[in-house]
């Protein structure tokens, strides 16, 4: 949990997950269906982006290693 406050990706993941849990499981909270649909769509797209994105640093490191091995 401490990492979540240092890393933007982890922070956004934790905050959006808490928000989704609050929207879905608090019985007295009844936002319009459109708001829930928009939030869930945003949640899914942001999580997909964060967890399928490759680090540029690792990619360039691997490319350098592969170039060295091919020679």
């Amino acid at each position: 949990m401490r990492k979540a406050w240092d890393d933007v990706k982890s922070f956004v993941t934790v905050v959006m997950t808490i928000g989704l849990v609050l929207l879905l499981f608090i019985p007295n909270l009844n936002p319009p269906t459109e708001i829930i649909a928009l939030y869930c769509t945003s949640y899914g797209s942001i999580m997909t982006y964060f967890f399928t994105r490759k680090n540029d640093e690792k990619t360039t490191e691997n490319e350098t290693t592969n170039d060295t091995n091919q020679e």
Side-chain angles (χ1 to χ4, degrees):
M1 184 73 173
R2 183 175 202 139
K3 180 184 175 188
W5 303 113
D6 296 332
D7 183 28
V8 173
K9 180 175 103 172
S10 298
F11 178 74
V12 170
T13 302
V14 169
V15 169
M16 289 198 71
T17 302
I18 290 170
L20 185 63
V21 168
L22 292 175
L23 276 175
L24 295 176
F25 294 115
I26 293 182
N28 296 332
L29 186 63
N30 294 320
T33 306
E34 293 84 11
I35 299 297
I36 293 176
L38 287 172
Y39 189 84
C40 291
T41 303
S42 307
Y43 182 84
S45 62
I46 290 170
M47 295 307 138
T48 301
Y49 171 75
F50 279 158
F51 292 108
T52 59
R53 181 175 65 155
K54 295 180 182 177
N55 287 340
D56 294 333
E57 201 173 287
K58 288 182 180 177
T59 303
T60 55
E61 183 179 311
N62 288 338
E63 288 173 358
T64 305
T65 305
N66 288 340
D67 291 341
T68 308
N69 289 339
Q70 289 177 358
E71 292 175 359

